[in-house]
Amino acid sequence: MTSRGNRYIAVAMDYLIKWPEAKAIQRADAESVAKFTTKQDTTQATLFKLVYGRIAMLPVERKINTYPAKPITEKNFQETLENKQRRTADNIQKSQETQKERHDTEKQWSGKFDPKWDGPFHIEEILGNGAYKLRLDNKILTKAAHED
């Protein structure tokens, strides 16, 4: 479990444009997954809308006529796409600033990769039977070290 209470990782793949997306979520239920797959956090838009300038539509929706009432012309399509791209660029900028603030305020070094040993040691005296008296930074260690 993460510090933000996330326990699961939802993974989605847009097979049309080959775009994978993964996000940590708190619950493994339909609502959390649906929220994850509809809009991206950074762009606040679906990938389909960013690429094609409109929401995705199933073939059956042509028969039912659930398409927007306003017909799409080349002019308003271009304007809509440009507006969406501009808003998306603004959302990305805001998201990057938020991520930078979080990065700058969080503790950067956990110590996980700190060295787990001291050294280098120098042999000060050979005691025999594989035992040695060692020196570290001009200080002779009190315990003898064995070669095993």
Side-chain angles (χ1 to χ4, degrees), residues 117-137:
W117 50 273
D118 293 325
F121 293 98
H122 301 278
I123 298 175
E124 182 68 25
E125 181 182 348
I126 300 173
L127 302 174
N129 293 329
Y132 301 93
K133 187 71 95 170
L134 300 177
R135 178 174 37 92
L136 175 65
D137 298 329

Side-chain angles (χ1 to χ4, degrees), residues 47 57 65 67 78 96:
L47 292 172
M57 186 172 79
N65 198 15
Y67 204 70
Q78 191 63 32
Q96 287 176 340

Side-chain angles (χ1 to χ4, degrees), residues 73 88 106 125:
T73 64
T88 299
E106 288 179 356
E125 181 182 348

Side-chain angles (χ1 to χ4, degrees), residues 52-93:
Y52 298 106
R54 61 181 178 83
I55 59 172
M57 186 172 79
L58 296 172
V60 72
E61 290 178 297
R62 287 193 176 280
K63 298 276 185 198
I64 300 173
N65 198 15
T66 60
Y67 204 70
K70 182 180 174 185
I72 296 178
T73 64
E74 187 174 334
K75 182 181 178 191
N76 70 11
F77 172 77
Q78 191 63 32
E79 289 174 2
T80 302
L81 189 58
E82 288 173 1
N83 287 338
K84 188 61 164 170
Q85 289 171 343
R86 196 173 307 112
R87 281 195 308 263
T88 299
D90 292 342
N91 288 335
I92 290 171
Q93 181 69 30

Side-chain angles (χ1 to χ4, degrees), residues 19-73:
W19 184 272
E21 192 77 30
K23 181 179 180 181
I25 57 176
Q26 292 180 347
R27 297 181 324 270
D29 59 358
E31 182 182 340
S32 298
V33 174
K35 186 178 176 185
F36 161 65
T37 56
T38 53
K39 287 187 178 181
Q40 307 304 313
D41 286 340
T42 303
T43 61
Q44 295 299 311
T46 63
L47 292 172
F48 190 92
K49 190 155 188 170
L50 289 177
V51 173
Y52 298 106
R54 61 181 178 83
I55 59 172
M57 186 172 79
L58 296 172
V60 72
E61 290 178 297
R62 287 193 176 280
K63 298 276 185 198
I64 300 173
N65 198 15
T66 60
Y67 204 70
K70 182 180 174 185
I72 296 178
T73 64

